[in-house]
Amino acid sequence: MNALTALGEALVLIGTFFYFLSALGLIRMPDVYNRMQTSTKSATLGSLGVIVGVGIWALGEDFGSVAWLTKTIVIAVFLLLTNPISAHALIRAAYRSGIPLWEGSVMDKYREHIEAKAKGEEGETPKEGGGE
Amino acid sequence: MLKRALAIISLLIIGYWLAQGLAGVPFGQDKMLVGQYYLNHVREQTGAVNAVTAVVVNYRGFDTLGEVTVLFIASTGVGALLWRKKRERTAKTEGSVVLKTGAELLFPFIVLFGAYIFIHGHLTPGGGFPGGATIATAFLLLYMAFVGYEIPHRAFEKVEGVAGMGYVLVGLIGLAIGGYFLFDWIWLTWKWGAENIGRLFSAGFIPVIYTLIGIKVGTELSGIIDNMLKEEVGE
């Protein structure tokens, strides 16, 4: 076992640990938004660790070649780019379809923003605003 | 309740019956008759490293032609079922800035990856159908992110037809040269790329046909998506 193998094994171990934390967060957290927060972040990090770790691990073995590392890095970059976008779209769709926040949360700036925007649009149309 | 119980009981009976049938099949033993022939002869007969694509395109090319026809009929059927004079996209919410930028950035890479899949069908797992589906995913992404997006219809429908005709044409050239439909003339007559097995320019007409199938499937599935996302609008 050389240094590259050991480094790859360590990365895969770290990655699986973060996978475990992500699954734990799904059970532990109180509402959709908190669950998404824990699961997407740690699952992205965990996948990066596992994927790049496998590439480095293969470099240290007899059968490994640089092709492994190249492929894994391409996959890792693709995951790194796409995972946050999908999490963003999911969260936004959840908020738009009216899923409530956890009762312990104290602030909802986005709702205030939407309401302010709606009010501003009402003020702009003169007939509706001035008639009452 | 009674209905559900009856359904569960009959499903259990069918499952037990199927399991009884499968119990006679010995798993883990070498029972290959035709499969062994494919594995032994795939290299010198087709030049492909990927035995699955060699079977699908070369040995049993008629099945693939049938599958392409099925997809074409599905696309035409959806178009015929949903046909109206005036149809437009009536999506209301625009995607967020993050989604739009992300879709714009990712689109060329997804198309590139789909093209990679169907061009390397004879070397790596995949082939025309997965590659085409990946390309259609890229167009679906654009449809989801942008309210007003539509595929360029005229170009797409023509390309779809030309790709399908190209497949049949390659088969007909084989009929003229080798005596039967879908005869692999590039490999068996010309011996083109014979010292090149395992690299990109090899395997006779498998890359050619898979490129045609990939383009066809990609445009076809995009067309189905387009048809299903549109609604009728009043004058």
Side-chain angles (χ1 to χ4, degrees), chain B residues 59-208:
Chain B
Y59 292 109
R60 300 185 173 183
F62 260 124
D63 285 5
T64 310
L65 191 61
E67 278 165 25
V68 170
T69 318
V70 165
L71 256 182
F72 178 70
I73 292 171
S75 160
T76 322
V78 168
L81 274 176
L82 297 175
W83 189 83
R84 294 282 186 284
K85 264 246 169 74
K86 199 161 171 64
R87 300 177 69 224
E88 270 173 27
R89 291 201 59 199
T90 51
K92 288 188 183 68
T93 25
E94 185 93 10
S96 64
V97 182
V98 178
L99 186 61
K100 282 195 281 189
T101 318
E104 236 170 9
L105 263 174
L106 284 171
F107 174 75
F109 291 105
I110 298 175
V111 173
L112 182 72
F113 183 58
Y116 168 84
I117 292 177
F118 67 63
I119 290 171
H120 290 76
H122 54 299
L123 305 173
T124 55
F129 291 93
T134 310
I135 288 178
T137 324
F139 284 103
L140 177 63
L141 195 61
L142 286 188
Y143 267 105
M144 291 287 139
F146 296 95
V147 166
Y149 182 76
E150 273 192 52
I151 51 169
H153 280 279
R154 298 189 162 231
F156 257 56
E157 277 138 25
K158 267 175 201 142
V159 164
E160 182 189 333
V162 167
M165 268 162 54
Y167 187 9
V168 179
L169 196 70
V170 170
L172 285 178
I173 294 174
L175 184 66
I177 293 178
Y180 56 93
F181 192 62
L182 289 175
F183 174 80
D184 189 352
W185 41 284
I186 299 179
W187 180 257
L188 290 174
T189 312
W190 293 2
K191 287 283 173 199
W192 189 76
E195 69 285 346
N196 222 3
I197 291 179
R199 303 204 183 157
L200 183 56
F201 293 111
S202 67
F205 71 5
I206 295 178
V208 177

Side-chain angles (χ1 to χ4, degrees), chain A residues 71 78 81-82 84-86 88-89 92 96, chain B residues 93-96 98-99 102-103 106 109-110:
Chain A
K71 272 180 202 167
F78 203 71
L81 282 176
T82 51
I85 299 177
S86 65
H88 164 84
R92 206 178 144 89
R96 284 294 177 91
Chain B
T93 25
E94 185 93 10
S96 64
V98 178
L99 186 61
L106 284 171
F109 291 105
I110 298 175

